[in-house]
Amino acid sequence: MTMTQLPAAKSPAQIRELRARHPEMRERDFARIHAISEAELVAAQVGTTAIRLRPDVDTLLNGLQACGEVMALTRNESAVHEKIGPVEKVVIGARASMVLGEQIDLRVFPSRWAFGFAVEKAGEAGAVRRSLQFFDPQGMAIHKVHARPDTNTDAWNELIDKLRHAEQDDAISLAAPQTPEPKGESGSLAELRERWSAMTDTHQFFGLLQALNLPRLDAIEMVGEDYAFQLDHAAVASMFDASVAAELPIMAFVGNPGCIQIHSGPVKTIKTMGPWLNVMDDTFHLHLRLDQIASVWAVRKPTSDGHVSSVEVYDADRELIIQFFGKRQEGHDERAGWRAIVEALPLFDQSNAA
């Protein structure tokens, strides 16, 4: 990948002036409408409502363990995943770090973390809303942590002090979008099916894609209906309805290049508002843009415990929006109830495709 620095689209002063005219607009919407990144919007407030932080994943995750209950938020263009609970069981790795708590479950890839900020805003009835926000080199949000009423404020402030950046400028330099390196020849269908059938763990799938030089959705489309079959867009809502009715614990993965966030457990309260499908449970909130779904797939991956079924949702750019599994334990076959739900989901009707 190659990256070059981009000139700022608007000065911090211009951003602040525009923001003052539209203070209630959501940050992501404001940034899109005014052709800036969300990171530039937050950076423009450094010195007033924001403090620039070092994007130090190790210090962040270790420090959050003393903060008690927080809300962790990871999103991409089409899905927002929110989990409420303590940050527990932190595992620091050279290329990836993890949080393995019962509520907050993360896979973090530090190489994509470029900018960080501590933000304070006035909330309702004089309350202060506090958050830690982190962005990639292009200024896209990677991960945010929001303080809760029960958050340990002393530990929170101590963490901010540890992460405080030496430079407190209100402007940042963004990198141009990554340009993919030219790909070589991709593996054949025969090679794909041979490697796919030989998997003994779902985590081997990424290595399979790398070995065969295949994008994820390309492999799913190629492999054959015994391993992957396309579903109707309505399958997502059907999957939620069936899981709620069966009180079946599921796993929901939402990610971006810098972070993947996972929910494991039952879902109870599903509400659709406009294009959004929303899960509104006590410790798990999910917001999914149904109108941005381009394709939905049921995927079977072999493991040493029998095949594992997932439902994978893709956007128009062929990027993975969200992925669902039935919750299971290593060493056990997947739940029969989850497999039955996946097998019964409505299939894509090719004859009705535009």
Side-chain angles (χ1 to χ4, degrees), residues 42 99 104 222 317:
V42 178
V99 175
I104 296 178
M222 282 174 60
D317 293 327

Side-chain angles (χ1 to χ4, degrees), residues 281-339:
D281 290 342
D282 291 341
T283 61
F284 175 45
H285 302 158
L286 175 70
H287 312 287
L288 175 63
R289 281 285 297 261
L290 298 176
D291 61 328
Q292 293 181 356
I293 294 174
S295 67
V296 184
W297 291 81
V299 181
R300 301 185 184 114
K301 300 186 185 80
T303 76
S304 56
D305 306 312
H307 83 256
V308 170
S309 307
S310 62
V311 175
E312 304 193 0
V313 183
Y314 291 85
D315 65 16
D317 293 327
R318 300 176 66 79
E319 296 293 334
L320 182 64
I321 297 172
I322 190 167
Q323 185 180 28
F324 302 99
F325 292 86
K327 184 179 178 182
R328 75 181 188 99
Q329 293 182 327
E330 294 295 329
H332 296 271
D333 199 357
E334 73 177 357
R335 295 172 187 264
W338 170 253
R339 186 172 294 179

Side-chain angles (χ1 to χ4, degrees), residues 5 7-8 23 29 37 43 69 73 79 95 133 167 224 256 261 276 285 292 299 302 317 321 324 335-336:
Q5 298 301 119
D29 294 337
S37 71
E69 182 178 275
L73 185 155
R95 295 186 179 181
Q133 305 187 18
E167 302 293 334
N256 55 57
Q261 186 162 302
W276 292 95
H285 302 158
Q292 293 181 356
V299 181
D317 293 327
I321 297 172
F324 302 99
R335 295 172 187 264

Side-chain angles (χ1 to χ4, degrees), residues 115-177:
F115 306 104
F117 304 91
V119 180
E120 288 195 2
K121 290 185 177 181
E124 297 179 0
V128 177
R129 292 184 294 153
R130 297 179 173 88
S131 62
L132 308 176
Q133 305 187 18
F134 297 91
F135 302 86
D136 73 6
Q138 290 75 38
M140 297 292 290
I142 287 176
H143 186 66
K144 299 180 182 181
V145 184
H146 292 263
R148 300 273 298 167
D150 291 335
T151 299
N152 183 325
T153 304
D154 290 340
W156 182 271
N157 291 333
E158 182 179 342
L159 177 56
I160 291 173
D161 288 341
K162 289 180 180 178
L163 289 170
R164 184 185 292 265
H165 201 289
E167 302 293 334
Q168 290 295 317
D169 296 335
D170 60 3
I172 56 176
S173 296
L174 300 180

Side-chain angles (χ1 to χ4, degrees), residues 16 44-50 120:
R16 288 192 292 270
Q45 309 305 321
V46 167
T48 54
T49 59
E120 288 195 2

Side-chain angles (χ1 to χ4, degrees), residues 34-342:
H34 294 285
I36 60 173
S37 71
E38 192 178 346
E40 288 173 294
L41 171 59
V42 178
Q45 309 305 321
V46 167
T48 54
T49 59
I51 298 169
R52 179 118 180 238
L53 304 180
R54 295 179 296 108
D56 181 338
V57 168
D58 295 6
T59 300
L60 172 70
L61 297 182
N62 284 320
L64 283 171
Q65 293 182 94
C67 292
E69 182 178 275
V70 297
M71 189 269 274
L73 185 155
T74 301
R75 69 167 300 160
N76 52 46
E77 286 293 335
S78 303
V80 185
H81 192 294
E82 302 171 357
K83 289 288 291 185
I84 297 169
V87 172
E88 301 174 306
K89 300 180 182 177
V90 170
V91 180
I92 302 299
R95 295 186 179 181
S97 295
M98 299 184 289
V99 175
L100 301 173
E102 183 176 346
Q103 291 296 339
I104 296 178
D105 190 353
L106 305 174
R107 307 294 179 270
V108 181
F109 309 102
S111 66
R112 293 297 300 159
W113 291 48
F115 306 104
F117 304 91
V119 180
E120 288 195 2
K121 290 185 177 181
E124 297 179 0
V128 177
R129 292 184 294 153
R130 297 179 173 88
S131 62
L132 308 176
Q133 305 187 18
F134 297 91
F135 302 86
D136 73 6
Q138 290 75 38
M140 297 292 290
I142 287 176
H143 186 66
K144 299 180 182 181
V145 184
H146 292 263
R148 300 273 298 167
D150 291 335
T151 299
N152 183 325
T153 304
D154 290 340
W156 182 271
N157 291 333
E158 182 179 342
L159 177 56
I160 291 173
D161 288 341
K162 289 180 180 178
L163 289 170
R164 184 185 292 265
H165 201 289
E167 302 293 334
Q168 290 295 317
D169 296 335
D170 60 3
I172 56 176
S173 296
L174 300 180
Q178 291 184 322
T179 302
E181 302 291 349
K183 283 186 172 288
E185 186 176 350
S186 298
S188 67
L189 173 58
E191 291 173 311
L192 173 61
R193 287 185 60 83
E194 180 182 359
R195 286 179 174 267
W196 195 302
S197 65
M199 280 194 290
T200 58
D201 188 294
T202 57
H203 297 99
Q204 295 167 353
F205 188 60
F206 181 69
L208 176 155
L209 298 177
Q210 286 190 312
L212 297 181
N213 202 19
L214 280 169
R216 184 186 190 96
L217 187 52
D218 286 20
I220 287 170
E221 290 174 338
M222 282 174 60
V223 70
E225 291 189 356
D226 50 343
Y227 288 128
F229 51 95
Q230 193 169 359
L231 300 172
D232 188 86
H233 289 194
V236 177
S238 298
M239 183 276 299
F240 273 113
D241 289 343
S243 298
V244 170
E247 299 181 349
L248 186 84
I250 65 170
M251 301 181 74
F253 294 66
V254 168
N256 55 57
C259 189
I260 298 170
Q261 186 162 302
I262 307 162
H263 164 76
S264 298
V267 289
K268 298 177 182 177
T269 307
I270 313 296
K271 296 181 179 180
T272 302
M273 299 178 64
W276 292 95
L277 183 151
N278 305 284
V279 178
M280 301 298 294
D281 290 342
D282 291 341
T283 61
F284 175 45
H285 302 158
L286 175 70
H287 312 287
L288 175 63
R289 281 285 297 261
L290 298 176
D291 61 328
Q292 293 181 356
I293 294 174
S295 67
V296 184
W297 291 81
V299 181
R300 301 185 184 114
K301 300 186 185 80
T303 76
S304 56
D305 306 312
H307 83 256
V308 170
S309 307
S310 62
V311 175
E312 304 193 0
V313 183
Y314 291 85
D315 65 16
D317 293 327
R318 300 176 66 79
E319 296 293 334
L320 182 64
I321 297 172
I322 190 167
Q323 185 180 28
F324 302 99
F325 292 86
K327 184 179 178 182
R328 75 181 188 99
Q329 293 182 327
E330 294 295 329
H332 296 271
D333 199 357
E334 73 177 357
R335 295 172 187 264
W338 170 253
R339 186 172 294 179
I341 286 173
V342 175

